[in-house]
Structure formats: structure tokens, C-alpha cells
Amino acid sequence: MSVIIFTVILLTGSYFAGLLGSLTGLGGGFIIIPLLTLVLHVDIHYAIGASIVSVIATSSGAAAAYVKEGLTNIRIGMFLEIATTIGAFAGALLAIYIPAQYIAILFGLILVFSAILSLREKSMQISLQESPLAEKMKLKGSYPDQGKLIEYGVTNVSGGFFMMIFAGLISGLLGIGSGALKVVAMDNIMRIPFKVSTTTSNFMIGVTAAASAVVYIQRGYINPGIVMPVVIGVLLGALSGSKILMQSTSSTWLRWLFAFIITIIAIQMIYHGIQGSI
Amino acid sequence: MSNNELKNTGNFKNTGMQAIIGWILRTGVIVSVSFVFAGGIIYLYRHGHSKTAFDSFHKIPEFISTTEGVLQGVLNGRGQAIIQLGIIILIATPVLRVAFSVIAFAIEKDHLYTIISLLVLLIIVGSMLTGRIG
């Protein structure tokens, strides 16, 4: 395949990856890696490298807006970034030793898990309860919602912290943002309100990805010819996605459609992983 | 929605700090993508009709495998080096955000979070320094 055709295919595919990733909140990495490995037959390590760079771009772009709106809890983010960066560093080192086929299988499994999570009803409950550790770490906060300020407390900080080490590990190992795992840690374990947990998760994704990207770039996994169309495509797609999101609030059918697509991709990844043809 | 009149906890006391963090992130993305785009045009112009060889892993071209090499390549107007510089700026963007947080928390005399931000920064620097080992 010539470089120009490869670039055009990848740019187009990355645009749709960014678009769907932004509409569902799952991020673009989920489509980028299967697109590169299954469709374009690129080595999985290059795919992980390109994906992690695109993750930094979309996360930073979106975080810039959320931080200004005051939805992000910067303290919770900074504190949990200790966990995610340690995990991401370990993950990036592990990725070097784990054979490509096991990475593909793990990728498929995390994909299915994230698809199921994306269908779950978001609980709107807000808890004021605060654990002693959360109080010590000054984690409670408040966020603006329709002109009012809503206060919330944080519980089970150590449980959330350990889940974040795992989220970081998966991010470093697979080159994805692992936003779904981060939201589990904050929503289900630490009982942080949905609006805060999603924006804070997004805030953390860039730093988490940077911790493994510094390993990948030194090992030659970040190839400019592959990253260039991926980053530009994903960013443009995410930008379109955020415009669509502002116009329509109901997107239940979209979530189902995406969960369906993702499950098919996941099965493909697992199948090729087991066959060793990746 | 203007939040300036609302007192927000969990964040910096001074909303100006948040504005700076937002600015760092946005500027970093814009600058890096501009480099990636410009480098991409040159790369496609020169190598557009070459064959791709990404199906098996081999190290990236020698001239972009070190920071000095990248900078030298940028000065020589080489497309892949310019893209790689853009990528380095992009990776540095969230790291800069953490570095700024260290300063911002220190200014607000929030000692606990100055240390926490510093710790995150050290983990990333440690990851960078040991990235080649193993």
C-alpha cells in the first residue's frame, strides 16, 4: 500500500473513531487499534503508540473546556493521578514483554466490559457522606448545575485509588484512555456525582497517557507516519462529536448502536488473538 | 453559564488558576497539531508514493529516535521530524499542566496538594528516565 492511500484511509477512519468516541464518551482508542491492526495490518505496538498519542490530544482538548466550567474536581484528579501514572508506567513496561496475541485478547475483553458499562443507567444520586480519608485529603467539592451549586462528598478513597492503579495499568498496556474504568472507580466506588466523575476522568486521562507515552516514544513505538493521520482525524472527529452533543440530548439508540459495533470489534480482536494472526 | 459568582470547592480558590490550566491544555494541543499537520504535508509530498512498511515492528528511522536528531531534522525541514516534534509537544502538554499545578497549589499555600502534584510530576519524570531500561 502506498503512503498516500494508507494516510487517507487512516485519516477517514480516525475521524469516525473520534466522532463515535466523543458521542459515547468511550474515547477514540477503541476503534483506532482494531482499525490499524485488523484492517490495515499494522503491528499492534505501533497501533498502541498511535492510539495513546490521540488519547492525549482529545483528553487535553476536552479538559480545557470542562476545567473552565468548574465541573472538574482538580484535587480528586491530582490525587488519583498518583495511582494512574504508576499504573500506566508499569503497563507500558509490561506491554513490551507480553506477546501481541495476549494484548489483543485483553483488549477485546476490556472492550466488551466498556460497552456494557456505557449502556448502564447513570445514577443521579448525590451523596454528602464523606469518609475520614476523603476529609483528610480535602476531596469533597461542589459543581455548578443550572445556576445552582451542588455539594457532594467522597467515600471509599482507598478502594478508588486501587481501582485507579488498575485503570492506569490497562491504559499503559493497551494504549487506550480507559475512561470506563476510571468512571467505575469514581462513580461506583467513591460515589462521586456523574458530571464530576466523567469530567475528572477525562482530565486525568491525558496525564495517565503521558506517563506511558514517554516510555513508548523512547522505544520507537510512536511512528510519525502512523500518528499524523490518527491524531488529526481523531481530533476533528471529536470536535464534530462535541458539536452534535450540544444539539441533541437523547442518544439512547446511539449508545446501543455503538455497544453493538464494539462487541463485534471485540469478538474480532479476541478471535484473531486466539488464532495468533495479529 | 458564569460561575465566577459561585464559590467552587475541590478546585483552586482562585478561578484564574483554572483559566490558566485550560489555556495550557488548549494552546498545547493547537501548537502540537499545527506541527503535525505541517510535517505531514512535507512527509506526504516527499514519501506519498513510497510503500508502507508498518506490518512488522522495527525501530523508527534513526534520525528521529533522539531529541537532538528530531531537532536537527526539523532544522533540515524533514517532515517526519516535524511531526515527531509536534508529538513531543503534545505529550509534554499534560505534563506542563501538572508542573503548573505544583506552582499554583504552592501559591495558594495548599501544601498537601503541592506535594501530591510534585509526586505525580516525579512519577512521569521517573517513567521518562527509565523508559529505555528493560
Side-chain angles (χ1 to χ4, degrees):
Chain A
M1 196 184 293
S2 76
V3 167
I4 191 99
I5 291 171
F6 177 85
T7 305
V8 169
I9 295 174
L10 194 49
L11 191 67
T12 315
S14 301
Y15 176 82
F16 286 104
L19 183 70
L20 283 176
S22 137
L23 289 177
T24 55
L26 285 178
F30 281 117
I31 298 178
I32 292 296
I33 291 178
L35 171 70
L36 280 169
T37 52
L38 298 179
V39 181
L40 294 165
H41 303 290
V42 169
D43 182 273
I44 198 164
H45 294 106
Y46 283 141
I48 291 172
S51 171
I52 204 86
V53 176
S54 76
V55 162
I56 300 178
T58 46
S59 153
S60 300
Y66 295 141
V67 167
K68 258 179 69 189
E69 280 176 39
L71 290 170
T72 313
N73 187 321
I74 294 177
R75 279 216 183 84
I76 295 179
M78 282 301 330
F79 173 63
L80 294 176
E81 275 164 17
I82 297 175
T84 61
T85 48
I86 290 174
F89 172 50
L93 287 184
L94 270 177
I96 294 154
Y97 300 104
I98 297 179
Q101 60 182 115
Y102 293 114
I103 294 183
I105 295 169
L106 183 63
F107 185 92
L109 294 175
I110 295 287
L111 211 54
V112 174
F113 174 73
S114 302
I116 295 167
L117 275 180
S118 76
L119 293 174
R120 200 180 43 133
E121 284 299 311
K122 314 277 181 295
S123 87
M124 286 298 165
Q125 260 184 348
I126 286 157
S127 147
L128 279 168
Q129 203 192 341
E130 198 181 23
S131 69
L133 187 56
E135 201 184 334
K136 212 170 150 191
M137 303 306 297
K138 299 185 280 186
L139 293 182
K140 73 167 181 196
S142 54
Y143 67 96
D145 189 20
Q146 291 164 348
K148 279 190 303 187
L149 205 60
I150 301 183
E151 299 209 9
Y152 58 89
V154 176
T155 55
N156 199 353
V157 176
S158 44
F161 193 86
F162 281 108
M163 186 68 192
M164 283 295 177
I165 295 181
F166 180 67
L169 188 78
I170 293 295
S171 169
L173 200 54
L174 304 179
I176 56 176
S178 68
L181 293 175
K182 288 189 172 78
V183 172
V184 167
M186 287 193 274
D187 259 29
N188 297 31
I189 302 177
M190 299 172 77
R191 301 274 161 212
I192 298 168
F194 181 67
K195 268 194 174 175
V196 179
S197 65
T198 43
T199 53
T200 305
S201 152
N202 178 75
F203 180 71
M204 296 166 60
I205 284 173
V207 170
T208 310
S212 46
V214 293
V215 175
Y216 284 133
I217 197 165
Q218 295 187 66
R219 293 193 176 260
Y221 288 23
I222 295 179
N223 191 308
I226 303 169
V227 174
M228 182 258 297
V230 170
V231 165
I232 295 174
V234 167
L235 257 184
L236 291 178
L239 215 63
S240 311
S242 64
K243 294 229 166 81
I244 296 171
L245 270 185
M246 273 183 252
Q247 283 161 7
S248 71
T249 43
S250 142
S251 58
T252 319
W253 68 271
L254 202 93
R255 291 219 307 268
W256 278 96
L257 176 72
F258 197 62
F260 178 70
I261 297 172
I262 262 192
T263 310
I264 291 173
I265 297 174
I267 292 168
Q268 290 275 321
M269 288 297 284
I270 295 170
Y271 174 76
H272 284 275
I274 292 170
Q275 293 276 307
S277 56
I278 200 153
Chain B
M1 197 180 347
S2 165
N3 313 312
N4 290 338
E5 66 270 23
L6 297 171
K7 201 85 185 90
N8 216 330
T9 47
N11 277 326
F12 293 106
K13 289 175 212 124
N14 182 351
T15 47
M17 300 293 189
Q18 270 141 260
I20 296 172
I21 286 184
W23 182 84
I24 291 173
L25 294 174
R26 199 173 319 104
T27 311
V29 172
I30 293 170
V31 170
S32 63
V33 172
S34 309
F35 275 106
V36 170
F37 186 77
I41 301 280
I42 298 172
Y43 167 70
L44 286 180
Y45 179 73
R46 291 203 184 141
H47 300 279
H49 298 288
S50 317
K51 290 256 168 283
T52 56
F54 301 134
D55 51 341
S56 63
F57 181 72
H58 33 79
K59 291 267 173 186
I60 51 169
E62 191 60 38
F63 75 100
I64 46 166
S65 62
T66 59
T67 316
E68 300 80 46
V70 169
L71 293 176
Q72 191 59 47
V74 171
L75 292 177
N76 293 337
R78 299 183 76 161
Q80 293 187 75
I82 297 172
I83 298 172
Q84 203 73 349
L85 178 66
I87 295 170
I88 293 170
I89 295 171
L90 187 61
I91 296 172
T93 299
V95 185
L96 269 178
R97 186 269 282 172
V98 176
F100 174 76
S101 305
V102 176
I103 300 166
F105 281 120
I107 290 172
E108 297 204 337
K109 298 199 167 48
D110 188 334
H111 303 303
L112 178 64
Y113 276 86
T114 308
I115 293 167
I116 287 174
S117 309
L118 201 58
L119 193 58
V120 173
L121 193 62
L122 286 177
I123 294 166
I124 298 173
V125 171
S127 175
M128 195 155 62
L129 294 178
T130 54
R132 270 180 202 273
I133 302 167

